[in-house]
C-alpha cells in the first residue's frame, strides 16, 4: 500500500501497470529488434512479420477493452509440399515449443498464425536469448 503514496513511481514498481502504460511506439521498437532474430531462427517452414495487434485488458468473464499494440505473427509457409492440414499441425506444435521454453512464451493461434503480442515483453533480449533453445526443440522434431 505504501507504493500508492507516490503515484509517480507506480509504473516502476508494478509490472502490470508498466505493461498497460507502455507506448505503442516502444512496443513496435521491440518488434523491430526481434523480427530479424526470430526470422533467422525459424527455419525453412515458417515466416514472421511485425503486425499491428490489440492487447485485451480487463478482468472477469468479459474483458472486452483493448489497447493498441504490436506483435510478431509467425506462420507456416504453405507450398506444394505443405497442405493446410499439415500447416495447422506444424503451427500447433510450434506454439507448444514456445510454451515449453525456460521462460514460457504464450501466443494466440489466430488466422493461420501464431501471434505473439509484445506488450508484456520487458525487453527483446528475454525472447532473443531463448531462440537457441527454440531451435533445439525444433531440431528434435525433424
Amino acid at each position: 500500500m505504501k507504493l500508492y503514496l507516490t503515484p509517480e513511481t507506480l509504473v516502476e514498481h508494478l509490472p502490470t501497470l508498466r505493461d498497460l502504460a507502455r507506448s505503442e511506439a516502444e512496443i513496435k521498437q521491440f518488434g523491430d529488434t526481434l523480427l530479424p532474430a526470430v526470422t533467422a531462427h525459424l527455419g525453412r517452414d515458417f515466416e514472421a512479420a511485425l503486425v499491428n495487434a490489440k492487447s485485451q485488458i480487463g478482468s472477469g468473464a468479459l474483458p472486452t477493452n483493448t489497447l493498441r499494440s504490436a506483435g510478431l505473427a509467425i506462420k507456416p509457409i504453405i507450398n506444394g509440399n505443405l497442405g493446410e492440414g499439415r500447416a495447422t499441425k506444424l503451427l500447433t506444435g510450434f506454439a507448444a515449443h514456445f510454451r515449453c521454453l525456460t521462460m514460457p512464451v504464450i501466443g494466440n493461434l489466430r488466422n493461420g498464425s501464431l501471434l505473439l503480442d509484445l506488450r508484456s515483453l520487458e525487453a527483446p533480449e528475454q525472447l532473443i536469448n531463448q531462440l537457441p533453445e527454440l531451435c533445439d526443440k525444433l531440431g528434435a522434431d525433424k
Side-chain angles (χ1 to χ4, degrees):
M1 297 301 275
K2 289 181 182 180
L3 287 175
Y4 292 92
L5 295 174
T6 54
E8 64 278 1
T9 65
L10 284 176
V11 173
E12 297 171 29
H13 300 287
L14 299 174
T16 300
L17 187 57
R18 185 171 42 249
D19 292 345
L20 293 173
R22 185 169 285 130
S23 73
E24 187 179 359
E26 181 182 0
I27 297 166
K28 284 185 176 181
Q29 187 176 31
F30 282 2
D32 289 336
T33 300
L34 282 169
L35 185 59
V38 169
T39 300
H41 287 82
L42 287 179
R44 69 179 192 277
D45 293 330
F46 295 93
E47 59 188 358
L50 183 60
V51 298
N52 292 324
K54 292 192 179 217
S55 297
Q56 191 169 350
I57 60 170
S59 62
L62 296 171
T64 58
N65 293 330
T66 59
L67 296 173
R68 291 171 50 172
S69 188
L72 291 180
I74 301 169
K75 66 180 183 177
I77 297 171
I78 299 174
N79 57 35
N81 299 329
L82 185 62
E84 288 287 334
R86 176 85 173 116
T88 300
K89 185 176 179 180
L90 272 174
L91 191 59
T92 302
F94 195 67
H97 288 313
F98 269 102
R99 290 190 305 270
C100 291
L101 291 172
T102 301
M103 181 184 292
V105 176
I106 310 298
N108 293 307
L109 293 174
R110 189 177 298 155
N111 300 325
S113 294
L114 173 63
L115 179 63
L116 305 177
D117 186 342
L118 303 177
R119 177 167 290 282
S120 60
L121 186 65
E122 290 284 322
E125 295 75 24
Q126 289 177 312
L127 180 54
I128 291 171
N129 292 340
Q130 293 192 105
L131 291 174
E133 181 183 350
L134 180 65
C135 283
D136 290 346
K137 291 179 183 306
L138 291 172
D141 284 351
K142 306 256 182 221

